[in-house]
């Protein structure tokens, strides 16, 4: 089938010149006459003298990729909206107990910013029982459980807000690969 793209010959010439001049792939996303997304890719194959050379050109249908990216972004926004509706401090941890995401209530309670705590171990946010290993023990028990776990009350000593006691609860999100 014939494909019509909103691209002029001079525009294609510019992409070709950039590919040869920069010696790297040039790409432009366009919608064809039917509204399907395409990626026009131009990459250098053989340099030539006087600014000339040989390029390869490919037209790739990226409609499914665009749709998948849009669906993933919508799912991410939906998940984040749910997390933000929880009025209690909520934090998402990786298997190594490092912080991946925290809701606004968590940041308000612990007086933190996302960019400051991202990647930190949860136990590193304070002292007292919180950092004594009791928190990590609870998190290890949670990793072994197939259901949400109500944990102990645990005391956190913080330079930001003093001493506070928290009732812990946790559960796994999604499937874990248990290995062979």
């Amino acid at each position: 089938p014939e494909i019509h793209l909103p691209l002029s010959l001079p525009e294609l010439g510019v992409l070709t010149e950039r590919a040869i001049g920069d010696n790297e792939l040039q790409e432009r996303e366009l919608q064809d006459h039917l509204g399907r997304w395409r990626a026009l890719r131009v990459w250098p194959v053989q340099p030539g003298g006087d600014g000339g050379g040989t390029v390869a050109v490919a037209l790739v249908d990226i409609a499914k990729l665009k749709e998948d990216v849009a669906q993933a972004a919508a799912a991410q926004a939906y998940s984040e909206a749910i997390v933000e509706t929880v009025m209690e401090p909520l934090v998402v941890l990786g298997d190594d107990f490092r912080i991946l995401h925290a809701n606004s209530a968590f940041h308000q309670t612990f007086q933190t910013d996302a960019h400051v705590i991202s990647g930190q171990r949860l136990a590193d946010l304070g002292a007292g029982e919180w950092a004594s290993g009791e928190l990590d023990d609870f998190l290890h028990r949670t990793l072994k459980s197939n259901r949400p776990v109500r944990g102990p009350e645990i005391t956190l000593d913080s330079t930001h807000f003093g001493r506070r006691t928290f009732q812990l609860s946790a559960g796994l999100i999604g499937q874990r690969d248990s290995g062979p």
Side-chain angles (χ1 to χ4, degrees), residues 45-117:
V45 175
Q46 183 177 22
D50 298 329
T54 305
V55 296
V57 178
L59 188 61
V60 181
D61 185 343
I62 59 170
K64 177 73 171 122
L65 174 63
K66 286 264 195 195
E67 182 180 311
D68 290 348
V69 168
Q71 286 178 354
Q76 172 90 20
Y78 180 77
S79 297
E80 288 177 7
I82 290 171
V83 167
E84 285 303 317
T85 64
V86 176
M87 301 306 248
E88 299 296 323
L90 185 140
V91 63
V92 178
L93 306 175
D95 287 347
D96 58 359
F97 308 144
R98 293 192 183 278
I99 298 169
L100 300 176
H101 181 76
N103 69 355
S104 297
F106 183 93
H107 292 299
Q108 288 171 345
T109 300
F110 288 86
Q111 299 177 0
T112 63
D113 290 320
H115 67 280
V116 173
I117 65 166

Side-chain angles (χ1 to χ4, degrees), residues 5 9 17 23 29 32 49 56 66 93 104 140 153 158-159 168:
L5 296 173
L9 282 177
E17 289 172 15
N23 196 32
E29 293 180 2
D32 67 17
K66 286 264 195 195
L93 306 175
S104 297
H140 280 292
E153 284 189 358
S158 170
T159 57
L168 300 179

